[in-house]
Amino acid sequence: MDRLKDKVALVTGASSGIGKSIATRFAQEGAHVAVNYRPGSAKDHDAALAEVASFNATATAVEADVSKREDVERMIAQVVEKFGRLDICVNNAGIEIKRPFLEVSDDEWNKVVAVNLYGCFVVSQAAARAMVKRGGGGKLIFISSVHEDIPFPEYTAYCASKGGVRMMMRNLAMELAPYRVNCNNIAPGAIATPINQSVLEDPQAKQNAISEIPWGRFGTPEEVASVAVFLASDESEYVTGSTYYVDGGLTQQVTAY
Ligand code: BGC
């Protein structure tokens, strides 16, 4: 239970869903955890504070919009000031908007790309700068999606952003290797979290989703968090530039017809 003993970790978008599970697991593994949540939502604010209070570890909640550079730089500075350094940064914050391609507006496109792609850029740049400045390496983990690789009709902005994250991570793996900063993606499939709430609440849509999954069920956020622990730990020392699928086989497209 102490695979991350005394490491300092930041998890973005950690007040719910996959981010919350990762932050919780990291705390259980002995890390000091900064739980990021977005501004403007009392629900997320309260959830982040309750989460931090529930950890049996040093932890802090940090408000920041990952799509705003000034917020992000303040957040990284706050974490470094509180814990003295940053070892692990999980780029988890993400949003999706379902809209047929012919109807997508500029606003919708820009919003999704700003959080999912620019957010990953600016957060990992600020985090990597702190890691490189201190020396001693670090871990950048990106929660992308199976849609970093496979298409998802009516989610073009989302897929484009996640495909971008895939390539960004691979570039960073090369550029940051000399500094011993490991860069990897976790690509979740259909996980039972708030992002999928409408599907989970619609029996037909849920059944359609499950029929695409060889494992025959949605995944749990904890199943994503286990892989994040490995990628955040010293055991992944020689792992960089990879995507780990946590999707019950979804990407294998084995549906018979
Ligand atoms: C999306 C979900 C979707 C899943 C599998 C995820 O990245 O956020 O909406 O169910 O991929 O298609």
Side-chain angles (χ1 to χ4, degrees), residues 18 94-96 143-148 150-152 155 158 162 187-191 193 195-197 199 209 212-213 218 247 250:
I18 291 173
I95 57 171
E96 65 184 26
I143 307 303
S144 64
S145 164
V146 292
H147 304 297
E148 69 164 43
I150 60 170
F152 196 17
Y155 289 89
Y158 184 75
K162 296 298 184 175
I191 309 296
T193 68
I195 210 170
N196 281 313
Q197 200 166 339
V199 174
E212 302 271 350
I213 308 169
F218 273 62
D247 70 348
L250 175 64

Side-chain angles (χ1 to χ4, degrees), residues 70-235:
E70 60 278 14
D71 275 30
V72 167
E73 288 187 347
R74 184 183 26 77
M75 169 171 71
I76 300 289
Q78 252 175 274
V79 175
V80 172
E81 193 187 326
K82 181 164 174 72
F83 297 115
R85 59 180 201 280
L86 177 62
D87 302 304
I88 302 155
C89 176
V90 183
N91 286 275
N92 168 78
I95 57 171
E96 65 184 26
I97 297 174
K98 182 177 187 197
R99 191 81 67 221
F101 176 66
L102 297 178
E103 294 168 21
V104 178
S105 70
D106 284 1
D107 268 4
E108 289 166 336
W109 174 276
N110 289 336
K111 206 170 153 192
V112 170
V113 171
V115 174
N116 296 5
L117 184 55
Y118 176 75
C120 280
F121 157 65
V122 75
V123 170
S124 44
Q125 187 185 53
R129 282 176 176 163
M131 290 167 182
V132 168
K133 189 170 163 204
R134 175 176 173 266
K139 308 279 188 180
L140 293 182
I141 300 167
F142 300 86
I143 307 303
S144 64
S145 164
V146 292
H147 304 297
E148 69 164 43
D149 195 42
I150 60 170
F152 196 17
E154 305 193 351
Y155 289 89
T156 298
Y158 184 75
C159 291
S161 71
K162 296 298 184 175
V165 169
R166 174 171 187 262
M167 282 312 299
M168 183 168 70
M169 176 280 291
R170 294 171 68 193
N171 258 51
L172 302 194
M174 296 184 69
E175 287 196 43
L176 300 176
Y179 304 101
R180 293 298 179 257
V181 175
N182 303 69
C183 303
N184 292 287
N185 279 10
I186 299 176
I191 309 296
T193 68
I195 210 170
N196 281 313
Q197 200 166 339
S198 60
V199 174
L200 291 165
E201 282 168 359
D202 174 344
Q204 189 55 57
K206 186 176 175 191
Q207 199 38 54
N208 291 347
I210 288 175
S211 70
E212 302 271 350
I213 308 169
W215 215 255
R217 63 165 174 85
F218 273 62
T220 66
E222 292 75 20
E223 287 168 325
V224 180
S226 333
V227 178
V229 170
F230 165 68
L231 290 175
S233 76
D234 293 340
E235 288 169 72

